[in-house]
Amino acid sequence: MERNLMKGNEALAEAAIRAGCKCFFGYPITPQTELAAYMAKRMHKAGGVFLQAESEIAAINMVLGAASTGVRAMTSSSSPGISLKSEGVSYIAGSDLPAVIINVERGGPGLGGIQPSQADYWQATKALGHGDFQLLVYAPASVQEMVDYVVKAFDRADKYRMPAMILADGLLGQMMEPVTFPEINPNAYDKSGWAANGHKMQREHHIINSLYLKPDELENSILDRYKRYEIIKETETEAELYLTEDCDILVCAFGATARVAKSAVNDARAQGIKAGLFRPKTLWPFPVKEINEAAKNAKKLLSVEMSMGQMIEDIKLAINCSKPVEFYGRTGGVIPTPAEVLGEIKRMGGAL
Amino acid sequence: MERNLMKGNEALAEAAIRAGCKCFFGYPITPQTELAAYMAKRMHKAGGVFLQAESEIAAINMVLGAASTGVRAMTSSSSPGISLKSEGVSYIAGSDLPAVIINVERGGPGLGGIQPSQADYWQATKALGHGDFQLLVYAPASVQEMVDYVVKAFDRADKYRMPAMILADGLLGQMMEPVTFPEINPNAYDKSGWAANGHKMQREHHIINSLYLKPDELENSILDRYKRYEIIKETETEAELYLTEDCDILVCAFGATARVAKSAVNDARAQGIKAGLFRPKTLWPFPVKEINEAAKNAKKLLSVEMSMGQMIEDIKLAINCSKPVEFYGRTGGVIPTPAEVLGEIKRMGGAL
Amino acid sequence: MEKMTVITERCKGCGLCTAACPKKIVVLQKEKRNKKGYFYAECTDQSACISCAMCATMCPDCAIVIQK
Amino acid sequence: MEKMTVITERCKGCGLCTAACPKKIVVLQKEKRNKKGYFYAECTDQSACISCAMCATMCPDCAIVIQK
Amino acid sequence: MAVVFERPKSLIDVPTHYCPGCTHGIVHRILCEVIDEMGIEGDTIGVCPVGCSVMAYDYFNCDMIEAAHGRAPAVATGVKRTNPDKFVFTYQGDGDLAAIGTAETVHVATRGENIVVIFINNTIYGMTGGQMAPTTLPGQVTQTTPFGRSPELAGYPVKVCEMLSTLTGTAYAERVAVDSVPHIKAAKKAIRKAFENQKAGKGFSIVEVLSTCPTNWGLAPLDAIKRLQDEMIPYYPLGVYKDVEEGVFPKTEGGNE
Amino acid sequence: MAVVFERPKSLIDVPTHYCPGCTHGIVHRILCEVIDEMGIEGDTIGVCPVGCSVMAYDYFNCDMIEAAHGRAPAVATGVKRTNPDKFVFTYQGDGDLAAIGTAETVHVATRGENIVVIFINNTIYGMTGGQMAPTTLPGQVTQTTPFGRSPELAGYPVKVCEMLSTLTGTAYAERVAVDSVPHIKAAKKAIRKAFENQKAGKGFSIVEVLSTCPTNWGLAPLDAIKRLQDEMIPYYPLGVYKDVEEGVFPKTEGGNE
Amino acid sequence: MATTEILLAGFGGQGILFAGKILAYCGLMDNKELSWLPSYGPEMRGGTCNCSVTISDDPIGSPLVVTPHLLIAMNQPSFDKFVSCVRPGGKVFFDSTMIEPATDRTDIELYGIPSQQMADDNNLKGGSNIILLGKLLKETNICSLETMQKAIEKVVPPKKAALIPNNFKAIELGMNA
Amino acid sequence: MATTEILLAGFGGQGILFAGKILAYCGLMDNKELSWLPSYGPEMRGGTCNCSVTISDDPIGSPLVVTPHLLIAMNQPSFDKFVSCVRPGGKVFFDSTMIEPATDRTDIELYGIPSQQMADDNNLKGGSNIILLGKLLKETNICSLETMQKAIEKVVPPKKAALIPNNFKAIELGMNA
Ligand SMILES: Cc1ncc(C[n+]2csc(CCOP(=O)(O)OP(=O)(O)O)c2C)c(N)n1
Ligand SMILES: Cc1ncc(C[n+]2csc(CCOP(=O)(O)OP(=O)(O)O)c2C)c(N)n1
Ligand code: SF4
Ligand code: SF4
Ligand code: SF4
Ligand code: SF4
């Protein structure tokens, strides 16, 4: 397979097109602009729709409209723009629609900055909008994984009729790496049972809706959804375990930060410190089994994040607070260095 | 003091005016419409500004504008409308501005329903927008507390220069109870050091801003904010402990649900079961010391929520997963009954 | 068969039909309520009805059927 | 003192001033760069300058001061 | 005897939740009459707003999508772009279309999106209990303008047809009313024309329907009709505001590949 | 010798981050000249957009607030309503004002909010690297219209002055350009008038300034000026679109208590 | 009486909430603890609507009345839905013009009066709710007539003060029915 | 060579990212692991801009180059900021037209060439970056000239293919400087 040198943002776009995405609605924002630019060039040729919406809100609701008709639809943005989409994402979840949403995170809060960040972890995993719901959240750590997880996100979104998010960051979006595109034969899911694409006088009319005025009906619709969530928690978690078998200190990190952490783990091993890496690839569902496996021999855990510490809570909950979990983070667009992480590992190792 | 019979929504409005709120910007949504209606009637007479904005987004940004000039400002909405405000709330936090935001929650996700819910707990406490930040979150459980916590929210927002939220629900907003208005002398905080209200050629110009293009500057601004958050965690937690001293089963609930839980605790005691109630009044910061005090003799905890279970994570983290925490919830607008909660208590008690 | 039929359970007693009728033969009677509690509309003189469907055109609830 | 002064460190070498000058005496020279690396503008003939401030009015960077 | 007037087929035979005398029902019916007459029920996808007509999905027998408040035009855009051969319409109130949804409305028009918007102007927020709408008349009392809408405090109404007519993508904008049989017939004609426009690919069409909200106006249904006639029509003149016969996309224009 | 032209006092003496030849700088200067001439620096509060002028707070010496993308009119409303004696202006690009901020723009106008909006129309998104703006001309190549803006695919431009002039709350709308010395002088006069309107409480004033973005147009600064003259002015005719001498709130109207 | 839980139910527009409010004010007048909680559907008119009122000597837990001591039912669906929830020994007041009181419960007392008809007959437009309240007043010891009259004076908005006598009359009609 | 980390820095508009891209493609051509990461300020023109390139035989961890083996500096602030980060034994290539190379480091090698001047003199508008690349090619074993030429052919967009010879010439100038 050919190795292409591509920016993460472009790889996301190309992968989406190959995964059968038929429409992209977006609004420009740094650091994900290349994604839309790529779509603008390629989507029409691929027989799909590219439309620059008047806002992030319009874009997510265009996605809702297209997805309602059974078409694979995607939007992308970065942190402030994702906040604006939150109502729409909640509607998509509440309407049981599949859709893919990309967040190429930047530093916040507010306008913040345009450098990489992971401070939207909680937003993505707990509360991208009001009400009880979840999205599938994938955290790629390389340009190649950007490709792989976009393909998976479209598949799983269709499979479970729910929104799926790629939670990337400016570093992954902006960096170029070699990438190959595997042969993709998108699974076809039968949507004829619910899609609102014109009944041709041949079936009952379909209604796409998130309104249930009777509380018990609304509750039941949520309970149904949470049953699916339980299946997903059982079957869809993914994680990388690196040198965890014998590790004393388990470094936990996702996305771009995991690359930094891996360098640090290697450096630590080179210095004789038994460090290992746990890298969740799905953030929701959080890989509970996997982290327990990875941590089984560890004495301490260290969560490294480009934020003030958000995943750390999921780690503690996943291991039932059974071991100390420490935190090292940089935020606001500062990227931690392997040396800093190594310093933390050593500090913790010294205290063992 | 005179006992007035008032809806929770109206009490919120009256209390805000008495607390020196000088402007209210909102957009209609059930179940909080009475709040704006009350403001429309009274605010101009009180020398303040009432303006129905064109949307929730406009409203929160009007709040940002007014707050920037040093004026006490407020907005209110319900779940879908709060999602729309999330970008603006993140800007307010990132600009270190005080403001009060009311969420009279209803069932979600999506359009959901118009009955009471607590499913925006995570949104309020973890991620009301992108980036690293927090808001103060108060959870009143009676119309009287609606009054008391609005007053406090304005005070603490000014004190810490951050947004504060009243997280209520449709039940509290719609119900009438007797309420008294204590003499309120709003603290005056000196805002002349930062407010952008015209420099009269007598000082440097002030800039209200959340943009820091240099990552280390953005990081520093966040670290500064988190130092304040640490002080707040130390000093601002509040909770009610009811019959906890000797309790075997500690029921944890906030807001309207806590009233139901309290009835159930009383019923349980009447049946000889040692149940107690822990009611956080601040959701962020979560009352960690207080719950540990309340749980010290408990064998099991039960989180009762009008959601699929969100506070339960904070409970587990607060007690360091040291005791089993179970969950009973109704969602989508269904209000749990004391009998249901009692049933859970008994089930758990039987297993003791 | 009658020219103007009110589907009484659909009628909400709004009276828009009464004003639309050029013959002034549609009224809201004040005796009988339907299950929802509304006094429903009635044609007082079927023979005078010219089947113009003005009342039905005004009716927001499709509560009137006209035949000719 | 000169009638037209370019604050060279402020000049970004855009050349808008050169087109605005009615006397055609403002040019972007091609020898000297400022610290930012721009070839800055220059008045080639101060005596011909009529202090009309046309160049300064066009300058987006307030890089020109005019005296009379 | 033959039936000369009955419920259109595409209007599902159930009681509506609308208040007595609310003209939403009239607009529903004439819209469905047009769908029936054009024979397009099976090829039509409707988008409901958030407002009193939120549950229109239970009444229209074509496929239906419930949009977030104000976002129906965006939802409709997503539908139409991916299903260009389908008929797509939105049905929206004035709060939905002209307040929270202003951006979506302006942009669906300026894009010349080939859809139909049915816009119910009843000068108030019905569903939430009678707050000021962007279309509320100066002086009108509502829950949030308890002393009458003061333009100084609460601004002036937005005249939607007038505003959208300035946009090149708008092919057709007409304001109608449903206060009388002749007006209802004209309204139906306008809706028909809007759908025919969509069939012909002419661009964006909007039909603004002056309607009543007896409940929140605090008027009996017939008095509400009278208010529509006496106060609304003078402020919001009926008529065609724009009608681009040849459509908004002349074959020669544009930089398409 | 006496200085006859120099930087206005209210324009802080620092280099800007704007590209060479970008006309944002010209508009900044004439705006500050007006502030200086009216002597209102100490009583003015400015609101910056998100766009290339996001950091205008570092340039204007009056108090400044940085708004979220598109929300400057709402922020300004919050400021003006609580500080009616202050001069309040926003400075916004076309993406900010006419795309994401459309609702805020239309409503600040229809409310007759007594503020000044300076609207920079450069037919492109500058800061994010040259995507299509709502004002991008048909056929114009941008990052997101790589084959030229096709109205069929990407819609038609929004003509802001034309659209806002249909709203009763708009007291004054003028389109100017900064491509030449006479036009710059006219632009300054328009800005002055807008601020004088605010002083007199006349209602909403907007000055649309046709500007260049040499960088994202891919043109040398002087070529960019030429494009403004040759392509933009014909599409966006200069002139006064609305000017309500007596202000939008005649003493007799309104239902104020 | 420690605690009385009352449920009022009917169509929107029948004055369910208004009647509940009067009861709530009765509690306020008598210096008791009380709560009032409305619940309604999406329809502005004609939808279902109900209202929970609790009056008590002690602080009130859940304001939602699930098992009422007293029920006022103003339409058939409300009667059918809620009659089974009434506590044993409880009382049900209903409009017999509108409601067919089919129930096999024997542990509760049913008081049906043709309140709608009575309102129509006495030219008390929309007074059916208050007539039922009068009946409730008579058959329970919720409060004194005087308290209820004071409550009515509080609840009727000043602009409509002219309607107070009508309400008094409706109470009277109900008490005598 | 296991891993080479390269940092390129200067003003926006000087072609920093473009030069970095050529280096990245060199890695691709030679079938190595590689990463390219840009970083820039808010200005479209004239702001600071830098670019991290890592070429390696092994999978690459952090793509952010903090302690480069090789530094290309195209303006004074970049030189001043980054010269201290270069690894001992590392090499710094800079435009001596623009930069005063003030540093007290003795453990690195400095290669200053007047690349801007050379570009101006040779009518290679904007070729200063490529000239420096030529110098880097000469002084390191990052790749062969052939690889770099192939990389250039890849990176120059098809529409501007006419500029390829100019780039080759710039490389040559740099190698001979
Ligand atoms: C984001 C959001 N904001 C507000 C609401 C509450 N809401 C529901 S309907 C409505 C307004 C309805 O008025 P209009 O659009 O005029 O339609 P009508 O009910 O008069 O037909 C509002 C504000 C909501 N559901 N979602
Ligand atoms: C919510 C949100 N969406 C998008 C962006 C990204 N963004 C920054 S500036 C800009 C557009 C700027 O264009 P314009 O308003 O025309 O101003 P110019 O830069 O051309 O002066 C965009 C889309 C953002 N910061 N926030
Ligand atoms: S218009 Fe229809 S609903 Fe109204 S009274 Fe007449 S028949 Fe009944
Ligand atoms: S207009 Fe100003 S910045 Fe541009 S070249 Fe002339 S002096 Fe320099
Ligand atoms: S509230 Fe008004 S708009 Fe809504 S259904 Fe009733 S009358 Fe119609
Ligand atoms: S990108 Fe365009 S608008 Fe922005 S500063 Fe540069 S030239 Fe000006």
Side-chain angles (χ1 to χ4, degrees), chain C residues 1-3 9-10 12-16 18-20 38 51-62 64-68, chain E residues 1-8 11 13-23 25-26 29 178-181 184 221-222 225:
Chain C
M1 201 123 162
E2 293 176 332
K3 290 189 240 171
E9 284 308 321
R10 282 295 157 76
K12 291 177 182 158
C14 68
L16 297 196
T18 64
Y38 297 120
S51 297
C52 66
M54 302 275 265
C55 57
T57 303
M58 265 323 279
C59 176
D61 288 278
C62 287
I64 302 177
V65 177
I66 303 291
Q67 300 180 87
K68 194 150 93 180
Chain E
M1 281 206 303
V3 170
V4 293
F5 190 102
E6 64 178 342
R7 158 186 298 276
L11 188 62
D13 191 8
V14 290
T16 70
H17 68 287
Y18 299 114
C19 304
C22 172
T23 50
I26 302 179
R29 192 193 65 234
V178 287
D179 58 304
S180 67
V181 174
I184 292 172
L222 282 168
I225 294 283

Side-chain angles (χ1 to χ4, degrees), chain F residues 17-173:
Chain F
H17 68 286
Y18 298 114
C19 304
C22 173
T23 51
H24 268 305
I26 301 178
V27 186
H28 280 27
R29 192 192 68 235
I30 57 179
L31 173 52
C32 284
E33 287 172 2
V34 168
I35 290 176
D36 282 7
E37 287 164 21
M38 291 178 69
I40 58 174
E41 182 192 314
D43 294 304
T44 299
I45 300 161
V47 184
C48 322
V50 178
C52 277
S53 46
V54 65
M55 286 180 300
Y57 53 71
D58 283 337
Y59 309 140
F60 296 127
N61 208 8
C62 54
D63 280 359
M64 295 295 297
I65 301 169
E66 213 300 295
H69 191 33
R71 319 306 174 191
V75 171
T77 298
V79 174
K80 184 72 184 183
R81 290 284 173 135
T82 50
N83 297 266
D85 55 327
K86 295 292 186 294
F87 290 85
V88 180
F89 73 91
T90 73
Y91 185 105
Q92 303 176 254
D94 39 26
D96 194 81
L97 180 140
I100 192 169
T102 309
E104 287 76 10
T105 302
V106 165
H107 284 273
V108 78
T110 201
R111 277 197 305 269
E113 212 66 59
N114 193 27
I115 65 163
V116 173
V117 169
I118 309 293
F119 166 40
I120 307 299
N121 178 352
N122 61 8
T123 74
I124 207 154
Y125 284 18
M127 174 162 239
T128 39
Q131 296 79 18
M132 180 184 82
T135 48
T136 293
L137 297 177
Q140 185 179 338
V141 171
T142 71
Q143 200 191 67
T144 47
T145 55
F147 313 107
R149 180 179 194 161
S150 148
E152 284 91 335
L153 295 178
Y156 284 99
V158 177
K159 295 186 175 176
V160 170
C161 278
E162 286 83 335
M163 182 175 78
L164 297 185
S165 294
T166 66
L167 300 170
T168 315
T170 302
Y172 175 56

Side-chain angles (χ1 to χ4, degrees), chain B residues 39-57:
Chain B
M39 287 289 190
K41 273 216 185 100
R42 302 294 163 87
M43 196 49 137
H44 291 296
K45 283 184 193 146
V49 173
F50 164 80
L51 184 62
Q52 182 178 316
E54 60 271 30
S55 69
E56 290 86 354
I57 291 180

Side-chain angles (χ1 to χ4, degrees), chain E residues 181-253:
Chain E
V181 174
H183 278 164
I184 292 172
K185 295 203 161 135
K188 181 176 163 186
K189 233 179 88 190
I191 294 174
R192 171 88 192 217
K193 184 175 167 99
F195 275 89
E196 295 288 356
N197 278 357
Q198 182 168 173
K199 193 169 185 174
K202 286 191 183 172
F204 176 74
S205 296
I206 180 168
V207 179
E208 173 174 347
V209 186
L210 301 187
S211 289
T212 67
C213 175
T215 299
N216 287 301
W217 294 358
L219 294 176
L222 282 168
D223 295 336
I225 294 283
K226 194 158 159 14
R227 172 177 183 268
L228 191 167
Q229 291 165 341
D230 295 349
E231 298 180 30
M232 285 177 69
I233 295 182
Y235 199 90
Y236 296 110
L238 304 184
V240 176
Y241 284 83
K242 197 168 183 201
D243 184 5
V244 187
E245 240 339 292
E246 67 285 7
V248 300
F249 301 119
K251 289 290 163 293
T252 49
E253 199 171 330

